[in-house]
Amino acid sequence: MSVRSIYAAVLLAGSSIFAPAEVAQAQNVEASSPMPALFASEFEMSRDLVDEVMADGIIVPVPKDPGGGYTHEQHKLNFRVMYLAGDLYRITGDEKYRDFVRDMLIEYAEMYPTLGDHPARANQNVGRLFWQVLNDAMWLVHSIQAYESIRDTITDEQRDLIDNQLFRKAAHFMSVDSKRTFNLIHNHATWATAGVGMTGYVLGDQHLVDIALKGSDKTGETGFLRQTELLFSPDGYYAEGPYYQRFALLPFMVFANAINANEPEREIFQHRDGILLKALRTTIELSYAGQFFPFNDALKEKGLKTAELYEGIAVAYAETRDPGLLSIAEWQGRTVLSEAGMLVASDLAAGKAKPFPFKSMLLRDGPEGKQGAVAIMRTPSPDGESMHGQALVTKNSSQGMGHGHFDKLSWQFYDNGYEVVTDYGAARFLNIEAKEGGRYLPENESWAKQTIAHNTLVVDEQSNFNGDVKLASAHAPTQDAYVQREGLQLSSGSIDTAFADVAMTRTMALVEMPGSEHPVVVDLLRAASDGEHQYDLPLHYMGQIMRVGFELESFTDTRPVLGKDNGYQHIWVDAQGAPTSSGNAFITWLLDDRFYTARWVPQEGAEAILAESGANDASFNLRREPMLLQRVRIAGGTSFVTLLEPHGKFDGSAERTTLSDSLVASVNHDRVDGADIITITMKNGAHRTLAISHNPDDAASHSVIVDETEYRWTGFAAVIGTEGDK
């Protein structure tokens, strides 16, 4: 089929709310032009799926099952296939697709008025077709788009039935019966308002549009517009983290596109300094090797190859013509069957794509950017490829509402295409019925959300804010510094409310080292307190231990459990020891073909514990993942200094190993006049000193003396080379 017939059909299929109908443009497209490859593959894939489902007939079961169950999955399939069938009807004009959407919607229209609360309800946010109202909202967003594709081509009687017995009732359920969800500032409400608003546009009902945009009372205190103002920071960071940012982007972008088509005078894509387009780019930036940073209740399977971003990339590219977005679409290998999707495919085929410029950045959190921040510090891989180099991520952000985790001042590290220092994410197997119907598992509360499950400080085996979400939501860290200098990238944050008697400051840096191919991570965590406490600092990592620098007591006959609650009940203890200096305080592990050594400055009386998650997990709900735990009991506060060093290479096929041992000889830490001086000495004799003043004034000069050596620098922090550099 030619470009003209497809492109024209997309544009000429009635008064689309999702793309302006530019008939003249469509008529001028050459009929002989081939369909762009990306659009063609999407078209074939969609047609194959829809034809396969159509062959089974119309199946609209009475709702019964929770997530993952038969009726749940069938209704999900129905709205997705209806959505695609509507697109195929616009593109091909083949009435079988129109008839399929029509007949499916008639079945729903006859059943919907008979439904009450879903029988598998799990909370007060109950749906009709699904166990929770969120899924009903997703059904509405997709189904109303399918209906818009065919509405002008069916009989008045059919239109009256579907309008009034299905979509008006669904919109009423969403906005009135589920008013509590509809008026939230939350991703569930984003889906709900988008569904109701688009229903209003399709049915010509301005009341539905207005309540979707401005909330049930039309004051603007809630509703879609207010969500764009409160859920995103000025930098486009979404309060719940990238996993939910990705999920919310589809209704944000699709409804915005509908608003733009129907009420362009609202200038929705310019609203709040272009926040929706900014959020789309930020979502991409919050990923590594195509996978999202797993903040909060995130499932690690989710990344840039997701339906929400296929749609979002297309809409954003149509608005911006940003060539970097084309490279993401090319990497995804997907687009959508819309005018915007056609534009992406055509410009990609024309060679207009440029690599997306993944870069280091600071993303403020909170509506006004005053609730901490997320810092992303990147270095490209040796071949210059920015998607698989290094990424050090510090999470000094807000709680993230109910999906937030108790992980103040935590961090993650990515290198060589892998997650090296890890975050657990959520304890959930989405839509797998055997695992609590696909819902969040009990271990999400008992492990995944607890502070010990993250790479940050735990005091007296208690989680931040004693695990109180309401209290946690009232307090956020302060982002104290973000430094980009030659040879140094650094982020520093602090919080004094996560624990009742302890103030924390954490400074993390990527430091380039002489004689090392890869920068090293330096982690300085200071805890200040007047009382005596047990301080635990976990490091969750991926890989197989190759070497341990200190003597271990290993538990091979019995495997102790580290504690009784707050996540400690889920930790098996494998071994423990007491290193005496940074020369022997290290472990080295192998991940794929690269070695990593974590080395630290041990404190007097401290011990190191090698452990693994999975204890007290009778249902096998948790992944078994290793961790290193530094532990010290001390009065008056303490400092942890840790170095993470990538090094060497393992080539299994060639049976060759190089530089499997650390290149670092020692790490020293001194605190002088309020400044922290961390000196890394390489085995080749070279030194690098990270000097941290903790003074945010970039112009301020500093000077301290350590062991008769004077260190001078300006600003918050700097890397200083000393005698012996090679």
Side-chain angles (χ1 to χ4, degrees), residues 37 65 204 235 255 339 378 507 591 634 642 660 682 688 696 700 714:
D65 302 308
D235 299 319
F255 188 28
E339 182 187 6
R378 297 185 190 265
T507 303
L591 178 60
I634 197 169
T642 308
S660 60
M682 308 295 286
R688 281 292 183 269
T714 59

Side-chain angles (χ1 to χ4, degrees), residues 76 80 134-135 138 142 187-188 190-191 231-232 236-254 276 278-287 290-313 328 331-332 403 426 428 430-431 440:
K76 262 176 53 180
R80 289 173 176 168
L134 169 64
N135 298 93
M138 295 171 69
H142 289 81
N187 73 75
H188 290 199
T190 307
W191 282 93
L231 286 176
F232 295 105
Y237 179 76
Y238 183 73
E240 294 179 287
Y243 174 83
Y244 277 95
Q245 180 156 336
R246 170 274 319 170
F247 179 63
L249 265 181
L250 190 145
F252 271 122
M253 298 300 284
V254 170
L276 292 179
K278 191 180 295 184
L280 185 281
R281 288 190 63 87
T282 296
T283 306
I284 298 169
E285 294 280 8
L286 286 162
S287 68
Q291 299 303 116
F292 294 122
F293 301 139
F295 297 170
N296 301 327
D297 279 343
L299 299 180
K300 292 193 176 185
E301 298 82 4
K302 282 292 186 181
L304 300 181
K305 292 184 178 181
T306 182
E308 295 87 353
L309 282 182
Y310 305 149
E311 190 83 52
I313 292 290
I328 299 298
W331 182 85
Q332 291 170 325
H403 285 298
R428 183 185 190 186
L430 184 63
N431 286 333
Y440 287 101

Side-chain angles (χ1 to χ4, degrees), residues 1-31:
M1 186 172 289
S2 71
V3 168
R4 181 179 187 276
S5 58
I6 293 173
Y7 197 60
V10 170
L11 293 172
L12 294 171
S15 55
S16 170
I17 68 169
F18 309 107
E22 299 182 11
V23 176
Q25 181 181 2
Q27 290 174 337
N28 289 331
V29 178
E30 283 295 327

Side-chain angles (χ1 to χ4, degrees), residues 347-466:
D347 284 1
L348 191 57
K352 296 182 180 181
K354 293 183 179 180
F356 188 88
F358 288 95
K359 59 182 181 289
S360 298
M361 59 173 49
L362 184 71
L363 297 170
R364 293 169 292 171
D365 193 9
E368 297 178 353
K370 297 179 180 180
Q371 295 180 24
V374 169
I376 307 171
M377 293 164 276
R378 297 185 190 265
T379 63
S381 59
D383 62 2
E385 204 278 319
S386 63
M387 204 177 197
H388 297 89
Q390 287 185 332
L392 170 61
V393 184
T394 63
K395 184 172 179 279
N396 304 331
S397 55
S398 68
Q399 181 63 21
M401 299 186 282
H403 285 298
H405 287 192
F406 299 100
D407 61 342
K408 300 303 100 176
L409 309 188
S410 64
W411 68 290
Q412 299 154 43
F413 180 67
Y414 299 79
D415 182 48
N416 199 30
Y418 292 92
E419 184 183 18
V420 180
V421 173
T422 69
D423 189 284
Y424 191 87
R428 183 185 190 186
F429 295 86
L430 184 63
N431 286 333
I432 296 180
E433 189 174 12
K435 293 294 187 179
E436 301 280 337
R439 302 183 181 102
Y440 287 101
L441 298 166
E443 289 78 9
N444 199 56
E445 300 294 326
S446 62
W447 169 252
K449 286 189 175 184
Q450 300 296 328
T451 304
I452 191 62
H454 302 84
N455 302 299
T456 192
L457 187 69
V458 186
V459 178
D460 298 329
E461 300 189 13
Q462 302 294 310
S463 283
N464 299 161
F465 307 103
N466 287 317

